[in-house]
Amino acid sequence: GKVVLITGSSAGIGAATAVQFSRAGAQVVVTGRRADKVSQVAKECLKVSPNGTKALEVVADVTKVDDLRRLVDTTIKHFGKLHVLVNNAGAGFPIGIDNKDYYETYLKTMQLNLNSVVYLTHICVEHLEKTKGNVINISSVAALQSGDGASPYHMSKVAMDMFTKCMAAELGPKRIRVNVINPGPIRTEILNAAGLPQHIIDKHDDYFSSVLPLGRVGDPDDIADSILYLASDHAAFITGTNLLSDGGAIAANAINNKALKEVLFHSTNILALLIFLHDLYTIWFGLRRRVNTNKRLDGQVVVITGGNTGIGKETAYQLSLRGAKVYIGCRDETKGNTAVNEIVIRNPKAVIRLLTLDLCSLQSVRRFCKELSKLETKIDILVNNAGIFGAPEGRTDDGFELHLGVNHLSTK
Ligand SMILES: NC(=O)c1ccc[n+]([C@@H]2O[C@H](COP(=O)([O-])OP(=O)(O)OC[C@H]3O[C@@H](n4cnc5c(N)ncnc54)[C@H](OP(=O)(O)O)[C@@H]3O)[C@@H](O)[C@H]2O)c1
């Protein structure tokens, strides 16, 4: 009889979860963008439901705030209550930082994997409070291990993990539990959605079957089982936890990024050898560089955000001592000029300049970049140091939540 809303339930993990909840007697909401898939899953749910309960079908795009509102309104209108919210819809789009579409892909990923979750949870709290319900977020092992070539996905999932913990702390007093599951590789449509051809996906699955301690990639039902457990009263004392369901991937350090790339992108053994030699070279020179803390930076162009105080100001001073040409960016011109003067008093040879920069405003960031590119043809070191803590609730002029705008988006 419990009412369960599962986003991304038209396929993969979400679809398996909807069917399992139905089999366990729940009233489920099946949702996704593809109407035909939503209907197909809803039919499966009806088939297995012990009490013949029909699933509610809602076609919605979670990246649209209006769709999310409609999703919740329709659920409450239809079932009158909500017990469990499963934030499952998500996708990953492989992309490198130097790709021209990186920033757009980053925003798209955050909108789908993170912002939708934050907003949907926000509008569900009042309903979950009435039922003393719970939330289960579907993250990934990508939140626990870095990898190159898909940083937006990794970042979206690590933020989801922290959102889970914060919500567990905040909503515990309302008797709402919030947990997160970090699946390892699961055989679903996710790699097709990321644009990989089937023969590469098969290689990907073979690779993981050979390196995971449990000797196979997961099935959507493996994750659905964990979701049902966390949603049930068997987990009544569990909140704020990360449940790894990954065939032992993390425990065994089984995800070797380089080997995985080799599988996905067909590199030859010779290329693997070259990569190995390149890494060896980088590590060797990296280590040498690290021990040489007094390395000169003569003429190197350094940009430091939030450089008028604290760590930023000291970094500006230290790098000026090594001969770098330092630009500090900050909002407050008076404070910025004071910092520059202080640094010049401490190091009369400092080559340092203030450029005003308000990281809350994309317009200001663009103006800063334009001004800088008139003065310099390259940047050698960018120190993303500016950050805020405990800002009052609010939005930047460009509509980003203030913390996200300053601490996160600005570094992109
Ligand atoms: N498979 C894995 O190896 C794996 C590993 C770790 C974590 N995960 C996580 O597990 C979750 C489910 O992924 P999956 O593997 O089951 O992938 P999947 O088979 O591709 O299913 C993704 C689901 O999300 C929905 N979706 C995607 N974009 C949407 C949008 N804009 N609005 C509404 N729904 C949207 C899709 O429905 P429509 O296309 O119909 O909209 C589909 O139902 C994701 O959060 C993923 O990051 C998966």
Side-chain angles (χ1 to χ4, degrees):
K2 296 243 165 110
V3 179
V4 184
L5 165 54
I6 308 136
T7 66
S9 40
S10 59
I13 293 169
T17 306
V19 173
Q20 281 212 29
F21 268 113
S22 297
R23 188 176 290 122
Q27 312 183 80
V28 303
V29 184
V30 179
T31 181
R33 290 162 305 174
R34 292 169 294 175
D36 56 333
K37 295 274 180 186
V38 169
S39 285
Q40 209 177 311
V41 175
K43 277 195 192 103
E44 282 293 306
C45 291
L46 180 59
K47 255 195 241 165
V48 299
S49 168
N51 34 27
T53 308
K54 269 182 101 174
L56 171 65
E57 299 174 34
V58 183
V59 176
D61 182 339
V62 295
T63 63
K64 296 183 177 149
V65 162
D66 289 346
D67 280 21
L68 290 174
R69 262 194 234 115
R70 178 168 53 78
L71 178 59
V72 176
D73 290 349
T74 316
T75 301
I76 298 301
K77 210 164 159 193
H78 191 80
F79 290 123
K81 56 197 165 185
L82 177 67
H83 296 89
V84 181
L85 168 65
V86 183
N87 284 310
N88 164 75
F93 311 100
I95 194 151
I97 185 82
D98 52 359
N99 187 300
K100 68 174 175 43
D101 297 326
Y102 180 81
Y103 188 64
E104 282 65 33
T105 304
Y106 164 79
L107 289 177
K108 187 166 105 176
T109 309
M110 286 297 185
Q111 190 63 25
L112 173 58
N113 292 358
L114 183 66
N115 297 358
S116 70
V117 172
V118 171
Y119 187 72
L120 189 58
T121 308
H122 166 64
I123 59 176
C124 283
V125 164
E126 58 172 305
H127 305 296
L128 293 168
E129 189 175 0
K130 287 180 197 149
T131 57
K132 299 189 172 37
N134 68 79
V135 181
I136 294 141
N137 295 324
I138 308 305
S139 173
S140 167
V141 286
L144 308 169
Q145 196 175 358
S146 62
D148 58 345
S151 54
Y153 185 71
H154 288 257
M155 289 189 285
S156 69
K157 295 301 190 182
V158 84
M160 182 187 236
D161 285 8
M162 184 47 78
F163 177 63
T164 304
K165 286 193 196 324
C166 294
M167 288 306 105
E170 199 170 318
L171 298 177
K174 293 186 190 293
R175 302 296 175 261
I176 300 172
R177 295 186 296 111
V178 188
N179 290 294
V180 61
I181 295 175
N182 300 75
I186 310 295
R187 198 174 282 113
T188 66
E189 293 177 11
I190 196 164
L191 295 177
N192 307 82
L196 291 177
Q198 192 54 45
H199 69 282
I200 299 289
I201 295 175
D202 293 342
K203 278 192 167 187
H204 166 276
D205 290 355
D206 288 347
Y207 165 74
F208 275 112
S209 301
S210 71
V211 297
L212 292 183
L214 292 185
R216 65 173 178 91
V217 295
D219 287 320
D221 277 325
D222 289 318
I223 306 306
D225 284 336
S226 302
I227 296 173
L228 257 79
Y229 163 67
L230 283 176
S232 76
D233 289 345
H234 291 296
F237 199 52
I238 299 179
T239 194
T241 203
N242 284 73
L243 179 59
L244 258 180
S245 180
D246 69 342
I250 293 292
N253 290 317
I255 303 177
N256 176 327
N257 199 41
K258 209 181 311 150
L260 184 58
K261 274 182 118 176
E262 176 114 342
V263 171
L264 296 181
F265 303 113
H266 286 290
S267 48
T268 62
N269 287 340
I270 293 175
L271 186 53
L273 182 66
L274 287 176
I275 292 171
F276 175 72
L277 290 175
H278 172 262
D279 282 2
L280 212 60
Y281 173 89
T282 319
I283 291 166
W284 168 242
F285 282 96
L287 282 177
R288 284 190 52 191
R289 210 178 297 146
R290 212 181 299 164
V291 294
N292 184 3
T293 52
N294 287 321
K295 184 179 186 248
R296 296 293 307 170
L297 296 170
D298 296 294
Q300 295 216 10
V301 179
V302 178
V303 175
I304 304 169
T305 65
N308 65 4
T309 177
I311 294 169
K313 187 168 79 175
E314 190 58 24
T315 306
Y317 165 65
Q318 291 287 340
L319 296 187
S320 79
L321 282 180
R322 288 163 178 73
K325 198 170 173 188
V326 179
Y327 289 90
I328 60 171
C330 53
R331 274 178 304 178
D332 187 325
E333 213 164 318
T334 319
K335 266 173 115 179
N337 281 325
T338 310
V340 168
N341 291 339
E342 277 174 28
I343 289 171
V344 173
I345 290 168
R346 289 169 77 193
N347 172 21
K349 287 192 186 149
V351 182
I352 182 160
R353 183 164 171 174
L354 167 75
L355 292 180
T356 49
L357 169 65
D358 182 353
L359 290 169
C360 282
S361 150
L362 285 178
Q363 204 185 5
S364 169
V365 173
R366 289 195 185 105
R367 202 180 320 113
F368 174 85
C369 293
K370 227 179 194 172
E371 226 175 299
L372 192 68
S373 55
K374 274 190 212 147
L375 298 164
E376 302 295 341
T377 54
K378 58 165 181 124
I379 299 174
D380 297 293
I381 301 170
L382 169 62
V383 185
N384 284 315
N385 162 73
I388 53 169
F389 171 74
E393 267 185 38
R395 291 189 169 268
T396 68
D397 287 348
D398 301 294
F400 300 124
E401 189 274 323
L402 210 58
H403 271 112
L404 198 70
V406 176
N407 293 358
H408 208 50
L409 294 178
S410 64
T411 63
K412 301 290 142 340

